[in-house]
Amino acid sequence: MVILTVGLNHTTAPVEIRERLHISDRQLPAVLERLGQEPAVLERMVLSTCNRVEVYAVTQDPAQAEAAIPELLAEGTQTPLALFADRLYRHHQEAAVRHAFRVAASLDSMVLGESEILGQVKTAYQVALAQEATGPILNALMTRTLGVAKKVRTETGIGESPVSVPSAAVELAKKIFGELSGRRVLILGAGEMAELAARHLRGEGVQAVLVAHRQFDRAVELAARLEGRAVRFDQIREELREADIVVSSTAAPHYLLHRADMEELIRLRRNRPLFLIDIAVPRDVDPAVNEIDNIYLYDIDDLEGVASVHRLERQQEAAHAELLIEREVASFMRWLKSLDVVPTIVTLRRRLEEIRETELAKALDRLPNLNPEQQAVVRTLAHGIINKVLHYPTTELKRQSVNRDGLLYVNVLRRLFGLQDDDR
Amino acid sequence: MDVTFFFGALVLYVVGTVAYLLLLSVKGTRLSRLATAATTGGFILHTLALLVRLVAAGRLPPRNTYEALSVFAWATVLVYLGLEFRFQRKVMGAFILPIVLLTTTAAASLPKGPAGLNPALTSTWVWMHVTLILLGNAALALTCGVGLMYLLQERQLKSKSLGAISHRLPSLDFLDGLSHRTLLVGFPLLTAGLITGALQAQAAWGRFLTWDPTQALSLITWVMYAGLLQARLTAGWRGRKAALLAIVGFGSLLVAFVGVSVLLGHPHAGN
């Protein structure tokens, strides 16, 4: 029995190919169904996100399964196999287990440490589970995978600091103001990035969002989208006195806010802190404003700088995560090995032979007058019983081992005969 | 007996301080628990040390400089543990425990026995004077520790390079608010302490002020804190300047309190 992963991701295939192979939630049951009709595939699960399409399978015939899965993917998504065949990677056993752990722990993600993937893996597993597409091995693998991913998040700092520009802005705002609920945000201009930053801040519970634009109708438009209020551009002096966070992204060719004005402003504000986010290019705020006490000015490069430092931190944390995952892979492989049929049969036979030898020794002890021929008969008798008893279970176990239920038999046998600790 | 408890407390404070400082750069739930456990354990031993002395002498400490420093450190730990429990912010320990360690170590180096008792401290008024000032000092020590944290966080934000320490420090808003509140507690205590001291001086020497170095420095310190509070309440002072002044004020307080009483042989010297 072999665990197999076949798939492609953002490193092996461009988005044009990934989007064609994407399997929507609606298509997923049909694809799982179709994979189930392939006799070589005993257990199966499909993970399809915008950055990867992967099939996890358990098979007794890896060569056949490896050949069949891409064809089924091509058929299921109506994409010619030739378009993506050379983009596929295939992982077996240990490598497949490691891959599953790394994917769920977000070590294989485009944005290292992002948290979305864990939810996507969980959903993919639940869909497969509901359709009874998984079996004991994939169930065990997925349970472990989700556990490992959680462990990586709590024990390393991989998801700790924000790595995108808008989320870095939110983090900085929290370092200045603590809780953001009840704070006022003023937006100058109407860039896409400004809107994104405003949405992030809204998500943190800021109380009011005000939008000012030289064209008032555009301010009204953006304010409507952000559930905020539009203000006239000539009123921004007054609004600046009340705001806590200002996001500036106007198309002005010169500085809009100068040092002298801002010094006056902070005096009028009685030193209430002000966070200025200047994402306009060319910039709206004179960089010297940052030198004023209680004003914190970040331009687009500063925010990008903060985000990139955090990306570096995540890479360092990823090294810890890899170590943790290696330990978990080794532990999972030990468990998997204990489920093999052959070692189970060998252990069972050894157990019965031990019993035979002990009982024989006792019996022969009590019959001191037997001649060698009689002794040989007794021995053969004992031998024969063991062999006869073992014959049927052995063949049945081997036969079942290629089926999905094989594991169940192995488990029951190990439990019934107390073989759990024998091969440690 | 009390000295044994006191040194036990000192050892635990060392452990606590080191653990809190380590927590600035490493992540660890066990280390975090150790920091609080050691500090709490130290505080319990410290309380026992003070109680044993109280029972033996039959009256409340402090009666000499050793006890004064000891009570000051004790009060600081008490307030700190309260804050940690209230806000669940262990990072404050790294800035406040070192102050505690400094004062307990200074106390440990002083003569402790009953022989060193200051006869002037047998008066209830003098005892009031000393105790009020000690409690005020403890609150102002926190203002200073919180101010240090504010300056660090502010520097990180202004320089736009956020290190690991920035993730662990609370927000500027929180720190400035806490600094303000500790000042609101510490300043009235200090004021009341100074007034009782002046009344005492009037009764003993017929003058409110004798202008010994401690008195002079204390007065300067008081003016600084009064200015800070005034600026905060009326001029909307806050942030970096307020934090700086709180640190300078506490520095001058320490000099007045520790330096002068240890070094000079004067009524204020205490031993």
Side-chain angles (χ1 to χ4, degrees), chain B residues 122-148:
Chain B
T122 49
S123 138
T124 309
W125 274 104
V126 177
W127 180 84
M128 278 277 287
H129 158 63
V130 174
T131 306
L132 283 170
I133 286 195
L134 290 175
L135 294 177
N137 283 7
L140 295 171
L142 291 170
T143 317
C144 168
V146 171
L148 279 172

Side-chain angles (χ1 to χ4, degrees), chain A residues 3 95 146 307 378 387:
Chain A
I3 301 177
L146 298 174
V378 175
N387 281 345

Side-chain angles (χ1 to χ4, degrees), chain A residues 154 160 171-172 174-178 183 270-272 290 292-298 302 310 313, chain B residues 27 150 153-154 156-158 160 162 166-167 170-173 233-241:
Chain A
T154 52
E160 219 168 48
E171 188 212 15
L172 289 165
K174 281 183 170 173
K175 278 189 201 297
I176 297 168
F177 299 111
R183 301 285 172 186
R270 293 169 55 87
N271 292 316
R272 233 164 13 84
N290 192 46
I292 304 171
D293 254 0
N294 297 311
I295 296 188
Y296 304 87
L297 167 64
Y298 277 69
D302 298 331
H310 289 168
E313 282 169 19
Chain B
K27 223 179 157 181
Y150 183 95
Q153 181 73 299
E154 199 249 8
Q156 298 255 320
L157 281 165
K158 279 279 187 192
K160 296 165 186 182
L162 306 180
S166 168
H167 299 309
S171 69
L172 291 179
D173 187 67
L233 292 176
T234 63
W237 251 44
R238 63 166 86 210
R240 196 173 64 92
K241 282 183 201 145

